[in-house]
Coordinates of all heavy atoms in Angstrom, one line a residue:
M1161 N 0.8 -1.2 0.0 CA 0.0 0.0 0.0 C 0.9 1.2 0.0 O 1.8 1.4 0.8 CB -0.9 0.0 1.3 CG -1.8 1.2 1.3 SD -3.0 1.1 2.7 CE -2.0 1.6 4.1
Q1162 N 0.7 2.1 -0.9 CA 1.4 3.4 -1.0 C 0.7 4.5 -0.3 O -0.5 4.7 -0.6 CB 1.6 3.7 -2.5 CG 2.4 4.9 -2.8 CD 3.9 4.6 -2.7 OE1 4.3 3.5 -2.8 NE2 4.6 5.7 -2.6
L1163 N 1.4 5.1 0.6 CA 0.8 6.3 1.4 C 1.1 7.6 0.7 O 2.2 7.8 0.2 CB 1.3 6.3 2.8 CG 1.0 5.1 3.7 CD1 1.8 5.3 5.0 CD2 -0.4 4.9 3.9
N1164 N 0.1 8.5 0.7 CA 0.4 9.8 0.1 C 1.2 10.6 1.0 O 1.3 10.3 2.2 CB -0.9 10.4 -0.4 CG -1.8 10.8 0.7 OD1 -1.4 11.0 1.8 ND2 -3.1 10.9 0.4
E1165 N 1.6 11.8 0.6 CA 2.5 12.6 1.4 C 1.8 13.2 2.6 O 2.4 13.3 3.7 CB 3.0 13.8 0.6 CG 4.0 13.4 -0.5 CD 5.2 12.8 0.0 OE1 5.8 13.3 1.0 OE2 5.6 11.7 -0.5
T1166 N 0.5 13.5 2.5 CA -0.3 14.0 3.6 C -0.4 12.9 4.7 O -0.2 13.3 5.9 CB -1.7 14.4 3.2 OG1 -1.6 15.4 2.2 CG2 -2.5 15.0 4.3
T1167 N -0.6 11.7 4.4 CA -0.7 10.6 5.4 C 0.6 10.4 6.0 O 0.7 10.2 7.2 CB -1.3 9.3 4.7 OG1 -2.5 9.6 4.0 CG2 -1.5 8.2 5.7
K1168 N 1.7 10.4 5.2 CA 3.0 10.2 5.8 C 3.3 11.4 6.8 O 3.9 11.1 7.9 CB 4.1 10.2 4.7 CG 4.1 9.0 3.9 CD 5.2 9.1 2.8 CE 5.2 8.0 1.8 NZ 6.2 8.2 0.8
G1169 N 3.0 12.6 6.4 CA 3.2 13.7 7.3 C 2.4 13.6 8.6 O 2.9 13.9 9.7
L1170 N 1.2 13.2 8.5 CA 0.3 13.1 9.7 C 0.9 12.0 10.6 O 0.9 12.2 11.8 CB -1.1 12.7 9.2 CG -2.1 12.6 10.4 CD1 -2.3 13.9 11.1 CD2 -3.5 12.1 9.8
C1171 N 1.3 10.9 10.0 CA 1.8 9.8 10.9 C 3.1 10.2 11.5 O 3.4 10.0 12.7 CB 2.1 8.5 10.0 SG 0.6 7.7 9.5
A1172 N 4.0 10.9 10.8 CA 5.2 11.4 11.4 C 5.0 12.4 12.5 O 5.6 12.4 13.5 CB 6.1 12.1 10.3
S1173 N 4.0 13.3 12.3 CA 3.7 14.3 13.3 C 3.1 13.7 14.6 O 3.5 14.1 15.7 CB 2.8 15.4 12.8 OG 1.5 14.9 12.4
I1174 N 2.2 12.7 14.4 CA 1.7 12.0 15.6 C 2.8 11.3 16.3 O 2.8 11.3 17.6 CB 0.6 11.0 15.1 CG1 -0.7 11.8 14.7 CG2 0.2 10.0 16.2 CD1 -1.7 10.9 14.0
L1175 N 3.7 10.6 15.6 CA 4.8 9.9 16.3 C 5.7 10.9 17.0 O 6.1 10.7 18.2 CB 5.6 9.1 15.3 CG 6.8 8.4 15.8 CD1 6.4 7.3 16.8 CD2 7.6 7.7 14.7
A1176 N 6.0 12.0 16.4 CA 6.9 13.1 17.0 C 6.2 13.6 18.3 O 6.9 13.8 19.3 CB 7.2 14.2 16.0
F1177 N 4.9 13.9 18.2 CA 4.3 14.5 19.4 C 4.2 13.4 20.5 O 4.3 13.8 21.7 CB 2.9 15.0 19.0 CG 2.9 16.3 18.4 CD1 2.4 16.5 17.1 CD2 3.5 17.4 19.0 CE1 2.4 17.7 16.5 CE2 3.6 18.7 18.3 CZ 3.0 18.8 17.1
A1178 N 4.0 12.2 20.2 CA 3.9 11.1 21.2 C 5.3 10.9 21.8 O 5.4 10.9 23.1 CB 3.5 9.8 20.5
L1179 N 6.4 11.0 21.0 CA 7.7 10.9 21.6 C 8.0 12.1 22.5 O 8.6 12.0 23.6 CB 8.7 10.7 20.5 CG 8.8 9.4 19.8 CD1 9.7 9.4 18.6 CD2 9.1 8.3 20.8
W1180 N 7.6 13.3 22.0 CA 7.8 14.5 22.8 C 7.1 14.4 24.1 O 7.6 14.9 25.1 CB 7.4 15.7 22.0 CG 7.7 17.0 22.6 CD1 6.8 17.8 23.2 CD2 9.0 17.6 22.7 NE1 7.5 19.0 23.7 CE2 8.8 18.8 23.4 CE3 10.3 17.2 22.3 CZ2 9.9 19.7 23.7 CZ3 11.3 18.1 22.6 CH2 11.1 19.3 23.3
G1181 N 5.9 13.8 24.1 CA 5.2 13.7 25.4 C 5.7 12.7 26.3 O 5.6 12.8 27.5
L1182 N 6.4 11.6 25.8 CA 7.0 10.6 26.6 C 8.4 10.9 27.1 O 8.9 10.3 28.1 CB 7.0 9.3 25.9 CG 5.6 8.7 25.6 CD1 5.7 7.5 24.7 CD2 4.9 8.3 26.9
L1183 N 9.0 11.8 26.4 CA 10.4 12.2 26.8 C 10.6 12.6 28.2 O 11.6 12.2 28.8 CB 11.0 13.2 25.8 CG 12.5 13.4 25.7 CD1 13.2 12.1 25.3 CD2 12.8 14.5 24.7
P1184 N 9.8 13.4 28.8 CA 10.0 13.8 30.2 C 10.0 12.6 31.2 O 10.7 12.7 32.2 CB 8.8 14.7 30.5 CG 8.4 15.3 29.2 CD 8.6 14.2 28.2
I1185 N 9.4 11.5 30.8 CA 9.5 10.4 31.7 C 10.9 9.8 31.7 O 11.5 9.5 32.7 CB 8.5 9.3 31.2 CG1 7.1 9.8 31.4 CG2 8.7 8.0 32.0 CD1 6.0 8.9 30.7
Y1186 N 11.5 9.8 30.5 CA 12.9 9.4 30.4 C 13.9 10.3 31.2 O 14.7 9.9 31.9 CB 13.3 9.3 28.9 CG 14.8 9.0 28.7 CD1 15.3 7.8 28.9 CD2 15.6 10.0 28.2 CE1 16.6 7.5 28.7 CE2 17.0 9.7 27.9 CZ 17.4 8.4 28.2 OH 18.8 8.2 28.0
W1187 N 13.7 11.6 31.0 CA 14.5 12.6 31.8 C 14.4 12.4 33.3 O 15.3 12.5 34.0 CB 14.3 14.0 31.4 CG 14.5 14.4 29.9 CD1 13.7 15.1 29.2 CD2 15.6 14.1 29.1 NE1 14.2 15.2 27.9 CE2 15.4 14.6 27.9 CE3 16.8 13.4 29.3 CZ2 16.3 14.5 26.8 CZ3 17.7 13.2 28.3 CH2 17.4 13.8 27.0
K1188 N 13.2 12.2 33.7 CA 12.9 12.0 35.1 C 13.6 10.8 35.7 O 14.1 10.8 36.8 CB 11.4 11.9 35.4 CG 11.0 12.1 36.8 CD 11.3 13.5 37.3 CE 10.8 13.7 38.7 NZ 11.4 14.9 39.3
L1189 N 13.8 9.7 34.9 CA 14.5 8.6 35.3 C 16.0 8.9 35.5 O 16.7 8.1 36.2 CB 14.3 7.4 34.3 CG 12.9 6.8 34.2 CD1 12.8 5.8 33.1 CD2 12.5 6.2 35.5
L1190 N 16.4 9.9 34.9 CA 17.9 10.3 35.0 C 18.1 11.5 36.0 O 19.1 12.2 35.9 CB 18.4 10.7 33.6 CG 18.3 9.7 32.5 CD1 18.7 10.3 31.2 CD2 19.2 8.5 32.8
N1191 N 17.2 11.6 37.0 CA 17.3 12.8 37.8 C 18.5 12.8 38.7 O 18.8 13.8 39.3 CB 16.0 12.9 38.7 CG 15.8 11.8 39.6 OD1 16.5 10.8 39.6 ND2 14.8 11.9 40.5
T1192 N 19.2 11.7 38.8 CA 20.4 11.7 39.7 C 21.6 12.2 38.9 O 22.7 12.5 39.4 CB 20.8 10.3 40.2 OG1 20.9 9.4 39.0 CG2 19.7 9.8 41.1
I1193 N 21.5 12.4 37.6 CA 22.5 12.9 36.7 C 22.3 14.4 36.4 O 21.2 14.8 36.1 CB 22.6 12.1 35.3 CG1 22.8 10.6 35.6 CG2 23.7 12.7 34.4 CD1 22.6 9.8 34.4
P1194 N 23.3 15.2 36.6 CA 23.1 16.7 36.4 C 22.6 17.0 34.9 O 23.0 16.3 34.0 CB 24.5 17.3 36.6 CG 25.3 16.2 37.3 CD 24.7 14.9 37.0
A1195 N 21.8 18.0 34.8 CA 21.2 18.3 33.5 C 22.3 18.7 32.5 O 22.2 18.4 31.3 CB 20.2 19.5 33.7
Q1196 N 23.4 19.3 33.0 CA 24.5 19.7 32.0 C 25.1 18.4 31.4 O 25.5 18.4 30.2 CB 25.5 20.5 32.8 CG 25.1 21.8 33.3 CD 24.5 21.7 34.7 OE1 24.2 20.7 35.2 NE2 24.4 22.9 35.4
E1197 N 25.2 17.4 32.2 CA 25.9 16.1 31.7 C 24.9 15.5 30.7 O 25.4 15.0 29.7 CB 26.2 15.2 32.9 CG 26.9 14.0 32.4 CD 27.3 13.1 33.6 OE1 27.3 13.5 34.7 OE2 27.7 11.9 33.3
I1198 N 23.7 15.5 31.0 CA 22.7 14.9 30.0 C 22.7 15.7 28.7 O 22.8 15.1 27.6 CB 21.3 14.9 30.6 CG1 21.2 14.0 31.8 CG2 20.3 14.5 29.6 CD1 19.9 14.1 32.6
L1199 N 22.8 17.0 28.8 CA 22.8 17.8 27.6 C 24.1 17.6 26.8 O 24.1 17.5 25.6 CB 22.7 19.3 28.0 CG 22.8 20.3 26.8 CD1 21.6 20.0 25.9 CD2 22.8 21.7 27.3
C1200 N 25.3 17.4 27.5 CA 26.5 17.2 26.8 C 26.5 15.8 26.1 O 26.9 15.7 24.9 CB 27.7 17.1 27.8 SG 28.1 18.8 28.4
H1201 N 25.9 14.8 26.7 CA 25.7 13.5 26.0 C 24.8 13.7 24.8 O 25.1 13.1 23.7 CB 25.1 12.5 26.9 CG 26.2 11.8 27.8 ND1 27.0 10.8 27.3 CD2 26.5 11.9 29.1 CE1 27.8 10.4 28.3 NE2 27.5 11.1 29.4
R1202 N 23.8 14.4 24.9 CA 22.9 14.6 23.8 C 23.6 15.3 22.7 O 23.4 14.9 21.5 CB 21.7 15.5 24.3 CG 20.6 15.7 23.2 CD 19.4 16.3 23.7 NE 18.5 16.6 22.7 CZ 17.7 15.8 22.1 NH1 17.6 14.6 22.5 NH2 16.9 16.2 21.1
I1203 N 24.4 16.3 23.0 CA 25.1 17.0 21.9 C 26.1 16.1 21.2 O 26.2 16.1 20.0 CB 25.8 18.3 22.5 CG1 24.8 19.3 22.9 CG2 26.8 18.9 21.5 CD1 25.3 20.5 23.7
I1204 N 26.9 15.4 22.0 CA 27.9 14.6 21.4 C 27.3 13.5 20.6 O 27.8 13.2 19.5 CB 28.8 14.0 22.6 CG1 29.7 15.1 23.2 CG2 29.7 12.8 22.1 CD1 30.3 14.7 24.5
W1205 N 26.3 12.7 21.1 CA 25.7 11.6 20.4 C 25.0 12.1 19.2 O 24.9 11.4 18.2 CB 24.9 10.7 21.3 CG 25.8 10.0 22.2 CD1 25.9 10.2 23.6 CD2 26.8 9.0 21.9 NE1 26.8 9.4 24.1 CE2 27.4 8.6 23.1 CE3 27.2 8.4 20.7 CZ2 28.4 7.7 23.2 CZ3 28.2 7.5 20.8 CH2 28.8 7.1 22.0
S1206 N 24.3 13.3 19.2 CA 23.7 13.8 18.1 C 24.7 14.2 17.0 O 24.5 13.9 15.8 CB 22.9 15.1 18.4 OG 21.8 14.8 19.3
F1207 N 25.8 14.7 17.4 CA 26.9 15.0 16.4 C 27.4 13.8 15.7 O 27.6 13.8 14.5 CB 28.0 15.8 17.2 CG 29.2 16.2 16.3 CD1 29.1 17.3 15.5 CD2 30.4 15.4 16.3 CE1 30.1 17.6 14.6 CE2 31.4 15.8 15.5 CZ 31.3 16.9 14.7
V1208 N 27.7 12.7 16.5 CA 28.1 11.5 16.0 C 27.1 10.9 15.0 O 27.4 10.5 13.9 CB 28.5 10.5 17.1 CG1 28.7 9.0 16.5 CG2 29.7 10.9 17.9
F1209 N 25.8 10.8 15.4 CA 24.8 10.3 14.6 C 24.6 11.1 13.3 O 24.5 10.5 12.2 CB 23.5 10.2 15.4 CG 22.3 9.6 14.6 CD1 22.3 8.2 14.4 CD2 21.3 10.4 14.1 CE1 21.2 7.7 13.7 CE2 20.3 9.9 13.4 CZ 20.2 8.5 13.2
A1210 N 24.5 12.4 13.4 CA 24.3 13.3 12.3 C 25.5 13.2 11.3 O 25.3 13.2 10.1 CB 24.0 14.7 12.7
G1211 N 26.7 13.2 11.9 CA 27.9 13.1 11.1 C 27.9 11.8 10.3 O 28.3 11.8 9.1
G1212 N 27.5 10.7 11.0 CA 27.5 9.4 10.3 C 26.5 9.4 9.1 O 26.7 8.9 8.1
L1213 N 25.3 10.0 9.4 CA 24.3 10.1 8.3 C 24.8 10.9 7.2 O 24.6 10.6 6.0 CB 23.0 10.7 8.9 CG 22.1 9.8 9.7 CD1 20.9 10.6 10.2 CD2 21.6 8.7 8.8
L1214 N 25.5 12.1 7.5 CA 26.0 12.9 6.4 C 27.1 12.2 5.6 O 27.1 12.3 4.4 CB 26.6 14.2 7.0 CG 25.5 15.2 7.4 CD1 26.2 16.3 8.3 CD2 24.7 15.8 6.3
L1215 N 28.0 11.5 6.3 CA 29.0 10.7 5.6 C 28.4 9.6 4.7 O 28.7 9.4 3.6 CB 30.0 10.1 6.6 CG 31.0 11.0 7.2 CD1 31.8 10.3 8.3 CD2 31.9 11.5 6.1
F1216 N 27.4 8.9 5.3 CA 26.7 7.8 4.6 C 26.0 8.3 3.3 O 26.0 7.6 2.3 CB 25.7 7.1 5.5 CG 25.0 5.9 4.9 CD1 25.7 4.7 4.6 CD2 23.7 6.0 4.5 CE1 25.0 3.7 4.0 CE2 23.0 5.0 4.0 CZ 23.7 3.8 3.7
S1217 N 25.4 9.5 3.5 CA 24.6 10.0 2.3 C 25.5 10.8 1.4 O 25.0 11.4 0.4 CB 23.4 10.8 2.8 OG 23.9 11.9 3.6
R1218 N 26.7 10.9 1.7 CA 27.7 11.7 0.9 C 27.3 13.2 0.7 O 27.3 13.7 -0.4 CB 27.9 11.0 -0.4 CG 28.5 9.6 -0.3 CD 28.7 9.0 -1.6 NE 29.3 7.7 -1.4 CZ 29.6 6.8 -2.3 NH1 29.4 7.1 -3.6 NH2 30.1 5.6 -2.0
R1219 N 27.0 13.8 1.8 CA 26.5 15.2 1.8 C 27.5 16.1 2.5 O 27.1 17.2 2.9 CB 25.1 15.3 2.3 CG 24.1 14.5 1.5 CD 22.8 14.6 2.0 NE 22.2 15.9 1.6 CZ 21.0 16.3 1.8 NH1 20.1 15.4 2.4 NH2 20.5 17.5 1.5
M1220 N 28.7 15.7 2.7 CA 29.7 16.6 3.4 C 30.0 17.8 2.7 O 30.4 18.8 3.3 CB 30.9 15.8 3.8 CG 30.7 14.7 4.8 SD 30.0 15.3 6.3 CE 31.4 16.2 7.0
G1221 N 29.9 17.8 1.4 CA 30.1 19.0 0.6 C 29.1 20.1 1.0 O 29.5 21.3 1.0
E1222 N 27.9 19.8 1.3 CA 26.9 20.8 1.7 C 27.3 21.4 3.1 O 27.1 22.5 3.3 CB 25.5 20.2 1.8 CG 25.0 19.8 0.4 CD 23.7 19.0 0.5 OE1 22.8 19.4 1.4 OE2 23.5 18.1 -0.2
V1223 N 27.9 20.5 3.9 CA 28.3 21.0 5.2 C 29.5 22.0 5.1 O 29.5 23.0 5.7 CB 28.7 19.8 6.1 CG1 29.3 20.3 7.4 CG2 27.6 18.9 6.4
R1224 N 30.4 21.6 4.2 CA 31.6 22.5 4.0 C 31.1 23.9 3.4 O 31.6 24.9 3.8 CB 32.5 21.9 3.0 CG 33.7 21.2 3.7 CD 34.7 20.7 2.7 NE 34.8 19.2 2.8 CZ 34.2 18.4 2.0 NH1 33.5 18.8 1.0 NH2 34.4 17.1 2.2
L1225 N 30.1 23.8 2.5 CA 29.5 25.0 1.9 C 28.9 25.9 3.0 O 29.0 27.1 3.0 CB 28.5 24.6 0.8 CG 27.9 25.8 0.1 CD1 29.0 26.6 -0.7 CD2 26.8 25.3 -0.9
A1226 N 28.1 25.2 3.9 CA 27.5 26.0 5.0 C 28.5 26.7 5.9 O 28.2 27.7 6.4 CB 26.6 25.0 5.8
F1227 N 29.6 26.0 6.1 CA 30.6 26.6 7.0 C 31.6 27.5 6.3 O 32.4 28.1 6.9 CB 31.4 25.5 7.7 CG 30.7 24.9 8.9 CD1 30.1 23.6 8.7 CD2 30.5 25.5 10.1 CE1 29.4 23.0 9.8 CE2 29.8 25.0 11.1 CZ 29.3 23.7 11.0
S1228 N 31.4 27.7 5.0 CA 32.4 28.6 4.3 C 32.1 30.0 4.5 O 32.9 30.9 4.3 CB 32.3 28.2 2.8 OG 31.0 28.5 2.3
S1229 N 30.9 30.4 4.9 CA 30.5 31.8 5.1 C 30.5 32.1 6.6 O 29.9 31.3 7.3 CB 29.1 32.0 4.5 OG 28.6 33.2 5.0
F1230 N 31.2 33.1 7.0 CA 31.2 33.5 8.4 C 29.8 33.9 8.9 O 29.4 33.5 10.0 CB 32.1 34.7 8.6 CG 32.2 35.1 10.0 CD1 33.0 34.3 10.9 CD2 31.6 36.3 10.5 CE1 33.1 34.7 12.3 CE2 31.7 36.6 11.8 CZ 32.4 35.9 12.7
R1231 N 29.0 34.5 8.0 CA 27.6 34.8 8.4 C 26.8 33.6 8.7 O 26.1 33.5 9.7 CB 27.0 35.6 7.2 CG 25.6 36.1 7.5 CD 25.0 37.0 6.5 NE 23.7 37.4 6.7 CZ 22.6 37.0 6.0 NH1 22.8 36.2 5.0 NH2 21.4 37.4 6.3
H1232 N 26.9 32.6 7.8 CA 26.1 31.4 8.0 C 26.6 30.6 9.3 O 25.8 30.1 10.0 CB 26.2 30.4 6.8 CG 25.5 30.9 5.6 ND1 25.9 30.7 4.3 CD2 24.3 31.6 5.5 CE1 25.0 31.2 3.5 NE2 24.1 31.8 4.2
F1233 N 27.9 30.6 9.5 CA 28.5 30.0 10.7 C 27.9 30.7 11.9 O 27.6 30.0 12.9 CB 30.0 30.0 10.6 CG 30.6 29.4 11.9 CD1 30.7 28.1 12.1 CD2 31.2 30.3 12.9 CE1 31.2 27.5 13.2 CE2 31.7 29.7 14.0 CZ 31.7 28.4 14.2
G1234 N 27.9 32.0 11.9 CA 27.4 32.8 13.1 C 25.9 32.5 13.3 O 25.5 32.3 14.5
Q1235 N 25.2 32.4 12.3 CA 23.7 32.0 12.4 C 23.6 30.6 13.0 O 22.7 30.4 13.9 CB 23.0 32.2 11.1 CG 22.9 33.6 10.6 CD 22.3 33.7 9.2 OE1 22.4 32.7 8.4 NE2 21.8 34.8 8.9
M1236 N 24.3 29.7 12.5 CA 24.2 28.3 13.0 C 24.7 28.2 14.5 O 24.1 27.5 15.3 CB 25.0 27.4 12.1 CG 24.4 27.1 10.8 SD 25.2 25.9 9.8 CE 26.7 26.7 9.4
L1237 N 25.8 29.0 14.8 CA 26.2 29.0 16.2 C 25.2 29.6 17.1 O 24.9 29.0 18.2 CB 27.5 29.8 16.3 CG 28.2 29.9 17.6 CD1 28.6 28.5 18.1 CD2 29.4 30.8 17.6
A1238 N 24.6 30.7 16.7 CA 23.6 31.3 17.5 C 22.3 30.4 17.7 O 21.8 30.3 18.8 CB 23.1 32.7 16.9
S1239 N 21.9 29.8 16.7 CA 20.8 28.9 16.8 C 21.1 27.7 17.6 O 20.3 27.2 18.4 CB 20.2 28.5 15.4 OG 21.2 27.7 14.7
G1240 N 22.3 27.2 17.5 CA 22.8 26.1 18.4 C 22.8 26.4 19.8 O 22.4 25.6 20.7
V1241 N 23.3 27.6 20.2 CA 23.3 28.1 21.6 C 21.9 28.2 22.1 O 21.6 27.8 23.2 CB 24.1 29.4 21.7 CG1 23.9 30.0 23.0 CG2 25.6 29.2 21.4
L1242 N 21.0 28.8 21.3 CA 19.6 28.9 21.7 C 18.9 27.6 21.9 O 18.2 27.4 22.9 CB 18.8 29.8 20.7 CG 19.2 31.2 20.7 CD1 18.5 31.9 19.5 CD2 18.9 31.9 22.0
I1243 N 19.1 26.6 21.0 CA 18.6 25.3 21.2 C 19.1 24.6 22.4 O 18.4 23.9 23.1 CB 18.7 24.5 19.9 CG1 17.9 25.0 18.7 CG2 18.4 23.0 20.1 CD1 18.2 24.5 17.4
G1244 N 20.5 24.7 22.6 CA 21.1 24.1 23.7 C 20.6 24.7 25.0 O 20.3 23.9 26.0
T1245 N 20.4 26.0 25.1 CA 19.8 26.6 26.3 C 18.4 26.1 26.5 O 18.0 25.8 27.7 CB 19.9 28.1 26.1 OG1 21.2 28.5 25.9 CG2 19.3 28.8 27.3
N1246 N 17.6 26.0 25.5 CA 16.3 25.5 25.6 C 16.3 24.1 26.2 O 15.5 23.8 27.1 CB 15.6 25.5 24.2 CG 14.2 25.0 24.2 OD1 13.8 24.1 24.9 ND2 13.4 25.6 23.3
W1247 N 17.1 23.2 25.6 CA 17.2 21.9 26.1 C 17.6 21.8 27.5 O 17.1 21.0 28.3 CB 18.0 21.0 25.2 CG 17.2 20.4 24.1 CD1 17.1 20.8 22.8 CD2 16.4 19.3 24.3 NE1 16.2 20.0 22.2 CE2 15.7 19.0 23.0 CE3 16.1 18.4 25.4 CZ2 14.9 18.0 22.8 CZ3 15.2 17.4 25.1 CH2 14.6 17.2 23.9
L1248 N 18.6 22.6 27.9 CA 19.2 22.6 29.3 C 18.1 23.0 30.3 O 17.8 22.3 31.3 CB 20.3 23.5 29.4 CG 21.0 23.6 30.8 CD1 21.5 22.2 31.2 CD2 22.1 24.6 30.8
I1249 N 17.3 24.0 29.9 CA 16.2 24.5 30.8 C 15.1 23.4 30.9 O 14.6 23.1 32.0 CB 15.6 25.8 30.3 CG1 16.7 26.9 30.5 CG2 14.3 26.1 31.0 CD1 16.3 28.2 29.8
F1250 N 14.8 22.7 29.8 CA 13.8 21.7 29.7 C 14.2 20.5 30.6 O 13.4 20.0 31.4 CB 13.5 21.3 28.3 CG 12.6 20.1 28.1 CD1 11.2 20.3 28.4 CD2 13.0 18.9 27.8 CE1 10.3 19.3 28.2 CE2 12.1 17.8 27.6 CZ 10.8 18.0 27.9
I1251 N 15.4 20.0 30.4 CA 15.9 18.9 31.2 C 16.0 19.2 32.7 O 15.5 18.5 33.5 CB 17.3 18.4 30.7 CG1 17.2 17.9 29.3 CG2 17.9 17.3 31.6 CD1 18.5 17.7 28.6
W1252 N 16.5 20.4 33.0 CA 16.6 20.8 34.4 C 15.2 21.0 35.0 O 14.9 20.6 36.1 CB 17.3 22.2 34.5 CG 17.3 22.7 35.9 CD1 18.1 22.4 36.9 CD2 16.4 23.7 36.4 NE1 17.8 23.1 38.0 CE2 16.7 23.9 37.7 CE3 15.4 24.5 35.8 CZ2 16.0 24.8 38.5 CZ3 14.7 25.3 36.6 CH2 15.0 25.5 37.9
G1253 N 14.2 21.5 34.2 CA 12.9 21.7 34.7 C 12.2 20.4 35.0 O 11.5 20.2 36.0
V1254 N 12.4 19.4 34.2 CA 11.8 18.1 34.4 C 12.4 17.4 35.6 O 11.7 16.9 36.5 CB 11.9 17.2 33.2 CG1 11.5 15.7 33.5 CG2 11.1 17.7 32.0
N1255 N 13.7 17.5 35.8 CA 14.4 16.9 36.9 C 14.2 17.6 38.2 O 14.3 17.0 39.3 CB 15.9 16.7 36.6 CG 16.1 15.7 35.6 OD1 15.3 14.8 35.3 ND2 17.3 15.6 35.0
A1256 N 13.9 18.9 38.2 CA 13.6 19.7 39.4 C 12.2 19.5 39.8 O 11.8 19.7 40.9 CB 14.0 21.1 39.2

């Protein structure tokens, strides 16, 4: 059975929201570990996983292109800091 794009998107969004709703239970199980350490693991393992996907899909040229501009690098750095801060507050809030 072939699913159309709308059905695929709906299924993906339901799964994403379900996982997002269950994630605080996982963080709560880790309440003995400092939020900063959890965030560091998340950053490191996301980097390893995303890097592996980029290597496997042979898209490292796009990464080099994105980092070739100082403006783009600054924008990515700023968004990374904001996302990291958001996650740190979220993990800390669940554990507190």
Side-chain angles (χ1 to χ4, degrees):
M1161 178 172 82
Q1162 183 78 18
L1163 297 176
N1164 66 24
E1165 293 298 313
T1166 302
T1167 305
K1168 288 180 188 178
L1170 181 63
C1171 290
S1173 64
I1174 290 171
L1175 180 62
F1177 284 121
L1179 288 172
W1180 186 253
L1182 294 173
L1183 195 59
I1185 297 169
Y1186 174 70
W1187 298 135
K1188 194 65 176 166
L1189 293 172
L1190 300 175
N1191 66 352
T1192 59
I1193 302 170
Q1196 296 89 342
E1197 186 175 343
I1198 294 171
L1199 180 63
C1200 287
H1201 276 283
R1202 182 171 174 81
I1203 291 169
I1204 291 167
W1205 291 112
S1206 294
F1207 180 78
V1208 169
F1209 181 74
L1213 281 176
L1214 287 168
L1215 283 172
F1216 181 73
S1217 63
R1218 298 180 179 180
R1219 297 180 75 173
M1220 291 304 289
E1222 294 175 39
V1223 174
R1224 267 188 240 96
L1225 182 64
F1227 283 104
S1228 65
S1229 164
F1230 182 74
R1231 180 172 179 250
H1232 288 145
F1233 177 76
Q1235 290 172 339
M1236 288 185 289
L1237 182 64
S1239 64
V1241 168
L1242 290 172
I1243 290 170
T1245 303
N1246 179 325
W1247 268 101
L1248 180 62
I1249 292 170
F1250 176 72
I1251 295 167
W1252 174 81
V1254 169
N1255 286 343

